Amino acid sequence: MCLEVRKTCKCGSKTAQFHMRDNVMGQEVITELYCPSCSAKVTINPDTMLGDNGWVIEYDMDLAKFMAVSKLLLEPETVRPGFVFDNGYACWQEMYPGEQQDVLEERKDILALQKEEPSRYLQEISSWNINRIKQLKADGWRKAQAA
């Protein structure tokens, strides 16, 4: 079971969902979230923060290290913001915040093919998925880089 967490950014204008893989870390490990609007005023501290396409996540690294050491039996120096995010212990629920709404709109026409032309639907949805991941990688979304 994985815990889902919602967090509102510092300026209060946007919300992001987080995935907490295997409940290794609790929601308290995410101390602050900055959207592209409010992150412009933030100096990123690489020891506690991670930037992703204008978004910034600030982690309580003391707590993250404690949880990783006690639950994963890792050495504390291996636990950095990138480790926490890239391994899914506290990362976006989706590839990026708001992806779910974007996806619904983008694939609306393709979904119409599902009943009318099932084989074409499978080809179109597969192509769409591949091209979408390529675009997300090109756009620089961190989670997409590993896809």
Side-chain angles (χ1 to χ4, degrees):
M1 183 172 107
C2 297
L3 179 65
E4 180 188 312
V5 174
R6 289 182 188 269
K7 188 126 179 104
T8 301
C9 69
K10 185 75 169 175
C11 71
S13 67
K14 300 203 188 294
T15 302
Q17 290 179 282
F18 287 86
H19 171 76
M20 312 299 278
R21 177 181 162 201
D22 300 330
N23 296 329
V24 169
M25 305 204 180
Q27 63 186 0
E28 303 82 15
V29 81
I30 304 168
T31 58
E32 200 61 72
L33 175 66
Y34 302 91
C35 73
S37 297
C38 57
S39 70
K41 303 170 190 144
V42 174
T43 302
I44 295 180
N45 176 351
D47 294 330
T48 60
M49 300 168 130
L50 179 127
D52 191 18
N53 254 5
W55 288 81
V56 176
I57 306 166
E58 185 172 8
Y59 296 105
D60 178 336
M61 291 309 298
D62 290 333
L63 182 57
K65 287 177 184 184
F66 173 77
M67 291 176 162
V69 168
S70 62
K71 293 182 179 182
L72 300 172
L73 307 175
L74 296 173
E75 294 297 320
E77 57 274 1
T78 64
V79 183
R80 311 269 304 139
F83 171 86
V84 173
F85 186 92
D86 295 337
N87 288 287
Y89 296 115
C91 66
W92 308 129
Q93 169 91 14
E94 306 153 308
M95 289 288 188
Y96 63 89
E99 180 189 28
Q100 195 170 34
Q101 291 80 16
D102 294 347
V103 165
L104 290 174
E105 186 59 37
E106 287 178 23
R107 54 181 217 183
K108 190 180 349 177
D109 294 336
I110 299 171
L111 288 174
L113 294 172
Q114 193 171 15
K115 291 181 182 174
E116 301 164 11
E117 300 178 61
S119 61
R120 184 169 167 225
Y121 163 77
L122 291 174
Q123 292 171 342
E124 294 288 330
I125 200 75
S126 178
S127 254
W128 174 81
N129 278 325
I130 291 166
N131 292 331
R132 180 162 181 46
I133 294 298
K134 284 180 187 175
Q135 186 60 54
L136 293 175
K137 285 181 179 185
D139 291 345
W141 288 103
R142 189 175 181 112
K143 199 168 174 183
Q145 302 306 317

